[in-house]
Amino acid sequence: MNTFRPSSPPSPPCLSQQSQAVPGGTFMSGDDPKSTQNPFPSSLSSLILPSASRNFSKALQNLKSSTLSITNRLSSIHHDSIVVQQVANHYNFPIIANERCGSWYIPPELKVGSAYFKSTDGHMGEWGFSSRRLNLQVLDIVGRHGGCIIVDSTRRGKSMPDALSKTIPIWCAVMNRLLFEENSREFPLHTPDAVVSRSEHSQIEARIPALVEEAKVPPPKILFSPASARPPAHEKHQLLNLPISTVHHRLTKPLRPFWVTPDTPFPILPSPNNNEYYNPIVCTTSSHRVHGAENSENGYIQGAGDDSEGWSHGLTPLLFWAHEEALRNTNEEKLPGYIQKLVREHEHGMMEIGSKGGRATLIRPTKDTYIGPLACINDPGEWDAIIVCNSTNPFAPTIKSPSSTATKKPQILHLPTPTGKLGSRALRRHLHLIPPFLASVLPLPQITTTTNPTTTTQRKILFTCPTGHDLSVGAALVCLCLFFDNNGCTAENSHRIDKVFIRRRLAWIVVSDGGANPARETLQAVNAFLMGR
């Protein structure tokens, strides 16, 4: 049997003491050491001609592009979705997508909700409990079903995203100590041993008490301090003013994370009849770990749904699953055009107000201020005012809306904003239009009698954008900070507006609507506007 052996490098030619011609017309003399040069290539550029080098680099780029093609991505997503369905069948828990990546791997009929646990909150040395990603909606789902599955993925090189290995364990530890404060010592931090070292685990655990204190309700003197008052130095935590009393009823047992990957066996959870003292959160990584380069996996891409803005051509998880078979059977050359056609049809359907359903959410403790997607507007006449954050105005005469039986017409403020980061930047330019518009819509309290000191006429106001979770949240946050007091009543705000105050008002929104997830750029736009007034 012949055995393949790598060929040995050729022996260098023997140089005599006489001058010899070298390719390229250079002469070397063995008698003059200063003129002696290395006759052999010392770099890739000297071995390959410049044009050949460029062609070689281009070939490598083309190879990588073909491996990371849309076809391979969609096939990999479908492959990973099977793993998610196997986990769901094994544990019989509802599935929650950790956005933005998780929804790609979950068929819509199996998805019960979304969560927003970011890996940045679990990065080394940056461990935190996010004030704008409270994920209280997860507590509702866990309370109803006794547990849940949270799905996410990560790109090549890691077995599990930091969001699952550290951010969710931190969130569970903080929530347990907030909701079950009397037994907080019984609820230690849990992290996956194979991913988080003992040293990092200890450092995270040491930070948990401070994170808990930052999330507690501040003293009344801080809640209702006048504009000029500043909290003492020892109370300057960025307190979120969480309504713990309203959250506590959602859970009767603490939270405990577990971890599942395609390359590890399913952990054993307690049966429903067992008296184990926790609700399991099954953190599921949908993608297999790829150790080598992408082209070593026969087209499989780890974390194929990640960073979809760079490859999807506007395709969303919902559109993917609605046309999954047709998309996966379309040639790569035709895919971009086919996707753009689907996106145009979807956007046209969204322009028909109310055609896709949806729901507006009341922002408590207010009694008349709502946020929601454009699709929630079944009858514009039911609102006194609508602030629209969208690239086009769906209430323009050229857009058909359903017939309204109401006699009144809402006052409309259209803020032209595209989607994504460009939308957040555009919102920053238009936020100054919101205060004068709301001042003309929201009535100030009027003193009437001693028994009824103030009366206000309620005005139903809706802040809306395509998703109802990003730009509309930023616009509504401006309203809450400028026109409402701490009890949720309409009033001229005399508070000093800083980041702490803005975060407390943001907590009203995320507690009312668990799906609210404003982008960092959106919140930066709001902070810059409010604090620059």
Side-chain angles (χ1 to χ4, degrees):
M1 180 176 178
N2 294 329
T3 304
F4 173 78
R5 297 180 184 277
S7 59
S8 10
S11 301
C14 180
L15 294 178
S16 68
Q17 296 296 320
Q18 303 298 323
S19 300
Q20 304 181 49
V22 179
T26 302
F27 286 85
M28 301 193 316
S29 173
D31 298 328
D32 184 2
K34 293 184 179 180
S35 64
T36 302
Q37 300 179 19
N38 186 358
F40 307 109
S42 58
S43 65
L44 184 65
S45 60
S46 62
L47 178 65
I48 303 177
L49 295 177
S51 59
S53 177
R54 286 194 295 269
N55 293 336
F56 182 67
S57 299
K58 186 176 180 180
L60 289 178
Q61 291 175 358
N62 291 338
L63 178 61
K64 183 175 182 180
S65 298
S66 64
T67 303
L68 299 178
S69 64
I70 304 174
T71 301
N72 284 350
R73 286 186 180 276
L74 298 183
S75 296
S76 300
I77 288 171
H78 178 265
H79 173 273
D80 293 346
S81 72
I82 298 174
V83 175
V84 173
Q85 295 175 60
Q86 290 173 345
V87 175
N89 292 335
H90 182 81
Y91 291 113
N92 198 28
F93 283 144
I95 306 178
I96 299 174
N98 192 37
E99 306 295 4
R100 296 171 302 174
C101 176
S103 285
W104 286 101
Y105 307 101
I106 309 173
E109 65 272 13
L110 299 180
K111 175 183 168 183
V112 301
S114 294
Y116 302 91
F117 296 102
K118 298 299 182 182
S119 289
T120 51
D121 295 325
H123 286 176
M124 173 66 77
E126 302 295 331
W127 313 290
F129 179 83
S130 176
S131 61
R132 64 187 179 95
R133 295 182 288 268
L134 298 176
N135 291 298
L136 300 183
Q137 73 278 11
V138 175
L139 300 182
D140 285 325
I141 296 172
V142 172
R144 291 197 302 268
H145 300 277
C148 72
I149 299 167
I150 300 180
V151 175
D152 201 354
S153 186
T154 188
R155 289 177 288 181
R156 179 173 58 92
K158 300 179 68 174
S159 61
M160 185 182 306
D162 288 344
L164 298 187
S165 63
K166 288 177 280 190
T167 304
I168 290 180
I170 292 171
W171 179 81
C172 289
V174 172
M175 281 296 176
N176 285 342
R177 300 189 188 198
L178 287 173
L179 301 177
F180 306 96
E181 190 171 9
E182 65 281 359
N183 298 320
S184 61
R185 292 185 178 180
E186 299 180 13
F187 312 131
L189 173 73
H190 295 276
T191 56
D193 295 337
V195 177
V196 181
S197 67
R198 291 185 178 181
S199 173
E200 186 176 8
H201 177 96
S202 299
Q203 293 177 68
I204 298 173
E205 194 163 37
R207 187 172 291 190
I208 297 297
L211 297 177
V212 172
E213 291 304 314
E214 290 180 5
K216 285 182 178 177
V217 178
K221 64 181 179 181
I222 296 181
L223 270 177
F224 305 106
S225 59
S228 60
R230 293 179 179 270
H234 65 282
E235 293 173 350
K236 285 186 179 179
H237 302 294
Q238 294 180 350
L239 300 164
L240 307 183
N241 193 17
L242 291 180
I244 297 302
S245 58
T246 63
V247 177
H248 195 284
H249 75 279
R250 307 183 193 188
L251 283 183
T252 58
K253 296 187 294 185
L255 308 166
R256 165 73 191 276
F258 292 85
W259 296 272
V260 173
T261 76
D263 307 310
T264 58
F266 294 163
I268 299 176
L269 305 183
S271 64
N273 298 327
N274 197 312
N275 289 327
E276 289 286 347
Y277 197 52
Y278 52 78
N279 289 304
I281 308 292
V282 183
C283 302
T284 302
T285 302
S286 60
S287 298
H288 293 270
R289 183 176 183 180
V290 173
H291 293 275
E294 288 92 350
N295 56 13
S296 66
E297 296 292 324
N298 297 320
Y300 175 76
I301 302 172
Q302 180 180 352
D306 204 9
D307 292 334
S308 58
E309 296 89 345
W311 61 265
S312 67
H313 295 276
L315 185 69
T316 63
L318 192 62
L319 276 177
F320 166 67
W321 285 107
H323 307 276
E324 177 254 336
E325 185 173 355
L327 284 165
R328 291 200 299 120
N329 292 329
T330 301
N331 291 334
E332 178 72 22
E333 295 78 12
K334 297 181 179 179
L335 262 178
Y338 181 51
I339 291 173
Q340 290 167 8
K341 174 178 175 289
L342 295 178
V343 172
R344 285 194 301 269
E345 292 174 352
H346 176 72
E347 290 178 346
H348 179 74
M350 289 296 293
M351 296 306 292
E352 297 292 335
I353 299 299
S355 61
K356 301 293 181 181
R359 180 176 61 88
T361 301
L362 174 64
I363 303 174
R364 299 184 182 278
T366 75
K367 298 178 176 60
D368 49 16
T369 304
Y370 294 75
I371 57 172
L374 285 171
C376 77
I377 308 174
N378 295 305
D379 183 358
E382 69 176 299
W383 305 97
D384 293 289
I386 303 176
I387 292 84
V388 182
C389 303
N390 193 41
S391 56
T392 58
N393 184 0
F395 302 101
T398 55
I399 302 298
K400 249 182 151 180
S401 61
S403 58
S404 173
T405 58
T407 57
K408 68 177 183 179
K409 293 183 178 180
Q411 298 186 52
I412 306 294
L413 174 63
H414 175 223
L415 306 179
T417 50
T419 57
K421 292 182 179 180
L422 293 178
S424 299
R425 295 172 187 171
L427 182 66
R428 183 188 292 251
R429 297 194 298 268
H430 300 310
L431 286 177
H432 70 279
L433 301 174
I434 296 178
F437 175 79
L438 292 177
S440 66
V441 173
L442 291 171
L444 295 177
Q446 298 178 351
I447 299 177
T448 54
T449 65
T450 55
T451 57
N452 184 21
T454 61
T455 60
T456 58
T457 303
Q458 288 189 5
R459 297 290 180 88
K460 237 179 139 178
I461 299 176
L462 174 66
F463 293 86
T464 183
C465 67
T467 64
H469 293 159
D470 183 13
L471 300 178
S472 58
V473 174
L477 187 55
V478 170
C479 172
L480 297 178
C481 289
L482 295 180
F483 293 97
F484 286 87
D485 61 19
N486 289 315
N487 298 315
C489 299
T490 307
E492 290 188 57
N493 199 329
S494 60
H495 287 77
R496 178 177 60 89
I497 296 181
D498 56 14
K499 287 187 178 180
V500 176
F501 181 83
I502 295 172
R503 288 191 180 190
R504 290 176 187 163
R505 289 294 189 264
L506 177 62
W508 289 5
I509 300 177
V510 297
V511 169
S512 301
D513 184 356
N517 183 41
R520 182 182 301 275
E521 292 80 8
T522 299
L523 290 182
Q524 287 174 343
V526 172
N527 288 345
F529 171 72
L530 291 175
M531 297 171 63
R533 285 171 58 86

